[in-house]
Amino acid sequence: MNLLPLFAVGLAGSVHCVGMCGGIVGALSAGAPARTIPIVPAGAGAALPMAQVGELTLRVLAYNAGRIASYMAAGALAGGLAGGAASLARVAQWQGIAYLLANGMIVALGLYLTGWWQGLARVEAVGRVLWRHLQPLMTPLLPMDTLPKAFALGGLWGWLPCGMVYSVLLTALLSGSAAGGAAAMLAFGLGTLPMLLALGLAGATLRGALQRPGVRRACGLLVLAFGVLGLMRFAGGLQHGWLDALCVARA
C-alpha cells in the first residue's frame, strides 16, 4: 500500500517531466519538432501508418523502460547503502531524520510544481557533476532508431539532474534495503509512465495543454498534500490507521 502514494507522486509530478523530457519523447511523434536533441527526423504532420505507429509505440516504451530501470538502480543503491550503514552503526535515529528529509523534499517538490518556490532547482545542481560524465555517452545512441538504442538512451536520461527524482530517492533510502529501494523507484517510475508515453505519441499538442499554470498548480497541490500529511504524522498530529496508505514514507 505504501507504493501507491509513490505512484501518485510520480503521476502528479510528471507534469514536471513535460518540460524536462517532453521535448525528447515528443520528438518521436510524427508531427513534433525535435526541440532538444534530434532523436529521429520530425515528420510533416501527416497521419502515420499503423505499422509506424506500432514501431513508434515500442520505441517510446523501450525509452521509458530504460529510464525506469535507471530509477530502480538508483533506488536499490540508496536503499542498500542506507540499510548497510544502519546495520553497521546500529543507529535507529537516522530513520527519523531521513523521514523528515523525505517528506520535506516532497513538500519542496509540491511547492516547486505550483511555482511558489524554486529552491528545489538548486538541488538539481548536485547531479550535474555526474551528468557531465554521462552526457557524452548519448552521442552514439542517436538517432534513436532501434529498440536497444531507445532503452540505452532512456537508461542514461534517467540520471539527468532532477529534483523530483531526488525527492523520491530519499523515500527509497528509508526502505533500508536494495529491493525496497528499487520497488519504491519502480512505483514512482510507473507513475510517470502514462504522461511520458502520451507525450511520445501525442507530441506538442499535449505538451502545450499540460504546461498550463492551472494544471501544474493542481498537481503540485496534490504532491504538497502528501508531504504535509507525512510531516503531520511524524509530529503526532494524526493517528495511525488507514491514513498510513497515504503516507509516502513511514516513520
Side-chain angles (χ1 to χ4, degrees), residues 1-13 106 168 171 180 182-192 194 222-223 225-227 229 242-250:
M1 290 296 292
N2 283 104
L3 296 179
L4 293 178
L6 289 170
F7 177 86
V9 167
L11 187 62
I106 295 297
V168 184
T171 301
M185 295 307 293
L186 173 61
F188 165 74
L190 290 177
T192 65
L222 177 59
V223 173
F226 281 116
L229 177 63
W242 64 270
L243 285 174
D244 284 337
L246 298 180
C247 289
V248 175
R250 289 187 179 183

Side-chain angles (χ1 to χ4, degrees), residues 6-7 9-11 13-18 20-22 24-25 28 58-75 131 141 144 147-162 164-165 168-169 182 185-200:
L6 289 170
F7 177 86
V9 167
L11 187 62
S14 57
V15 294
H16 175 62
C17 303
V18 175
M20 181 167 287
C21 304
I24 293 177
V25 181
L28 295 173
L58 288 175
R59 286 205 303 270
V60 175
L61 285 172
Y63 166 84
N64 282 283
R67 179 178 59 86
I68 294 174
S70 68
Y71 291 168
M72 293 176 65
W131 180 243
L141 301 175
M144 195 173 74
L147 295 182
K149 281 185 177 182
F151 182 86
L153 187 59
L156 288 174
W157 197 256
W159 297 96
L160 181 76
C162 177
M164 183 173 72
V165 175
V168 184
L169 267 178
M185 295 307 293
L186 173 61
F188 165 74
L190 290 177
T192 65
L193 181 59
M195 183 78 72
L196 288 178
L197 181 59
L199 284 170

Side-chain angles (χ1 to χ4, degrees), residues 2-201:
N2 283 104
L3 296 179
L4 293 178
L6 289 170
F7 177 86
V9 167
L11 187 62
S14 57
V15 294
H16 175 62
C17 303
V18 175
M20 181 167 287
C21 304
I24 293 177
V25 181
L28 295 173
S29 300
R35 296 181 177 178
T36 309
I37 55 176
I39 295 178
V40 293
L48 289 174
M50 288 304 297
Q52 293 186 31
V53 171
E55 182 182 351
L56 169 63
T57 303
L58 288 175
R59 286 205 303 270
V60 175
L61 285 172
Y63 166 84
N64 282 283
R67 179 178 59 86
I68 294 174
S70 68
Y71 291 168
M72 293 176 65
L77 183 62
L81 288 177
S87 298
L88 290 174
R90 296 181 181 179
V91 175
Q93 289 83 352
W94 74 272
Q95 291 184 336
I97 297 174
Y99 181 85
L100 283 174
L101 287 174
N103 284 282
M105 285 290 285
I106 295 297
V107 169
L109 174 60
L111 294 173
Y112 179 54
L113 292 174
T114 58
W116 295 340
W117 185 65
Q118 299 298 313
L120 195 59
R122 301 190 186 99
V123 180
E124 295 177 351
V126 176
R128 289 174 188 162
V129 176
L130 174 62
W131 180 243
R132 281 198 295 267
H133 292 86
L134 293 177
Q135 194 171 12
L137 300 178
M138 299 173 64
T139 303
L141 301 175
L142 301 175
M144 195 173 74
D145 50 4
T146 66
L147 295 182
K149 281 185 177 182
F151 182 86
L153 187 59
L156 288 174
W157 197 256
W159 297 96
L160 181 76
C162 177
M164 183 173 72
V165 175
Y166 298 158
S167 300
V168 184
L169 267 178
L170 280 175
T171 301
L173 180 145
L174 273 174
S175 68
S177 70
M185 295 307 293
L186 173 61
F188 165 74
L190 290 177
T192 65
L193 181 59
M195 183 78 72
L196 288 178
L197 181 59
L199 284 170
L201 299 177

